[in-house]
Amino acid sequence: MKLMYLGTAAAEGVPAVFCQCSNCREAMRRGGKDIRFRSGALVNDHILIDFSPDLYAAKLRFQLDLGDVRSVLVTHAHMDHFNREDIGMFIPPYAHVDHPGTLTLYGSSFTEKVWNEYTGEQLLKEPEVTKAVTFRTLAPFETLDVEELRVTALKAVHSCPESLFYLLEQDGSTFLYANDTGVFPEETWDYLKEHVTRPLTVVSLDSTMGRLKNRYNGHMSFEQNIEVRERMLRDGIADETTRFICHHFSHNGIILYDELTEMMKPHGFDVAYDGLTVTL
Ligand SMILES: [Zn+2]
Ligand SMILES: [Zn+2]
Ligand SMILES: [Zn+2]
């Protein structure tokens, strides 16, 4: 499996769209790994996780060919993860692809409702899209095959109803892609404890709250990332070979890439950046 981070910021981006804070100014000055698009990932070059409003920018930045994308795993319906208006660009005459086919969106019943609301609106740019795009509803803890991946939807704690995050498996390797969640609900811990029989290969955790000390639990802070790692090690869900990655950053809690890497390395975490590709 190969997973490429296309964006690693929270909804406002880093630097944030209207912001003049010192973190945003310094991120802009440094550029490179400190410029972060809204979050999303590309698996095996053709399966998307989330439909970021910066997907098009990521295509240009990383010279991506997205013409073979047929599956999108949507975590939840917040605009930085489900930019439903852009999905209409999948069909002709907006796209001419080598192997025409349909696109399947996977997500919660709430995300499906948000999609159906849009396709029922007069604002819908292209009504034909409803013929080419289907929605497959996922219940929490449901496992299914999405092309070459085995995918399990896990229950998140987040401010959007029915938010999910995903466990991906292929050829014995596992990638837990967990953003827009606080410290997992107990049902999710129970599921992982029972079903993860070999330590996970890669675990990517939400780090939106960053250095902030409050214990809001709809995103995670670095402190909570460390606690989740420790619990996973204790429960045998991960071991010392598991690669942990911090992901989904806000300008409010962030420190810049170099300092963050220095801070989190001793705690066993790598720091995601746009374009980071993990092969497992
Ligand atoms: Zn988000
Ligand atoms: Zn800022
Ligand atoms: Zn969200």
Side-chain angles (χ1 to χ4, degrees), residues 187-250:
E187 286 167 272
T188 295
W189 282 112
D190 290 345
Y191 180 91
L192 291 170
K193 244 176 121 168
E194 194 180 328
H195 291 87
V196 173
T197 49
R198 282 199 305 182
L200 297 172
T201 316
V202 181
V203 176
S204 175
L205 296 178
D206 180 294
S207 303
T208 312
M209 307 311 287
R211 285 185 300 182
L212 302 178
K213 291 287 179 206
N214 73 32
R215 303 293 291 181
Y216 166 73
N217 199 33
H219 284 294
M220 283 187 232
S221 62
F222 299 137
E223 209 170 72
Q224 288 165 316
N225 290 163
I226 292 165
E227 288 168 15
V228 166
R229 179 175 179 273
E230 283 167 359
R231 182 164 174 184
M232 284 187 161
L233 293 175
R234 257 198 329 269
D235 288 354
I237 297 164
D239 70 6
E240 293 302 330
T241 66
T242 304
R243 182 175 180 188
F244 281 83
I245 301 175
C246 299
H247 171 46
H248 196 282
F249 302 100
S250 152

Side-chain angles (χ1 to χ4, degrees), residues 1-3 43-44 47 49 73 141-154 166-177 191-192 195-202 280:
M1 189 192 322
K2 181 175 97 173
L3 183 143
V43 183
N44 297 342
I47 297 170
I49 306 181
L73 304 171
F141 310 111
E142 184 176 350
T143 297
L144 82 169
D145 290 326
V146 175
E147 304 189 51
E148 70 273 31
L149 298 179
R150 190 120 186 95
V151 175
T152 301
L154 296 168
Y166 292 108
L167 175 62
L168 315 176
E169 300 173 63
Q170 185 185 1
D171 302 331
S173 296
T174 45
F175 196 117
L176 186 72
Y177 185 88
Y191 180 91
L192 291 170
H195 291 87
V196 173
T197 49
R198 282 199 305 182
L200 297 172
T201 316
V202 181
L280 59 163

Side-chain angles (χ1 to χ4, degrees), residues 30-139:
R30 291 191 194 183
K33 289 176 180 166
D34 288 306
I35 302 295
R36 297 178 183 277
F37 289 165
R38 272 72 66 86
S39 290
L42 182 63
V43 183
N44 297 342
D45 297 318
H46 68 105
I47 297 170
L48 284 172
I49 306 181
D50 285 331
F51 209 105
S52 159
D54 294 329
L55 180 63
Y56 177 61
K59 173 200 163 89
L60 301 182
R61 188 178 184 185
F62 302 117
Q63 300 189 315
L64 304 174
D65 179 346
L66 298 173
D68 292 325
V69 171
R70 297 289 176 272
S71 307
V72 185
L73 304 171
V74 183
T75 57
H76 64 299
H78 279 160
M79 70 80 177
D80 51 324
H81 298 268
F82 189 48
N83 179 34
R84 57 190 187 171
E85 285 79 359
D86 251 2
I87 294 170
M89 299 301 100
F90 173 73
I91 60 166
Y94 310 104
H96 304 289
V97 299
D98 294 340
H99 309 286
T102 57
L103 181 72
T104 306
L105 308 175
Y106 297 85
S108 70
S109 57
F110 182 79
T111 304
E112 181 177 28
K113 193 175 122 207
V114 170
W115 173 247
N116 288 342
E117 272 170 14
Y118 171 62
T119 57
E121 279 175 11
Q122 292 189 339
L123 248 183
L124 180 65
K125 168 107 172 115
E126 182 46 74
E128 289 293 306
V129 75
T130 53
K131 293 182 189 149
V133 179
T134 54
F135 200 103
R136 166 66 161 85
T137 314
L138 290 175

Side-chain angles (χ1 to χ4, degrees), residues 16 19-21 24 251:
C19 192
Q20 297 177 319
C21 81
C24 287
H251 63 142

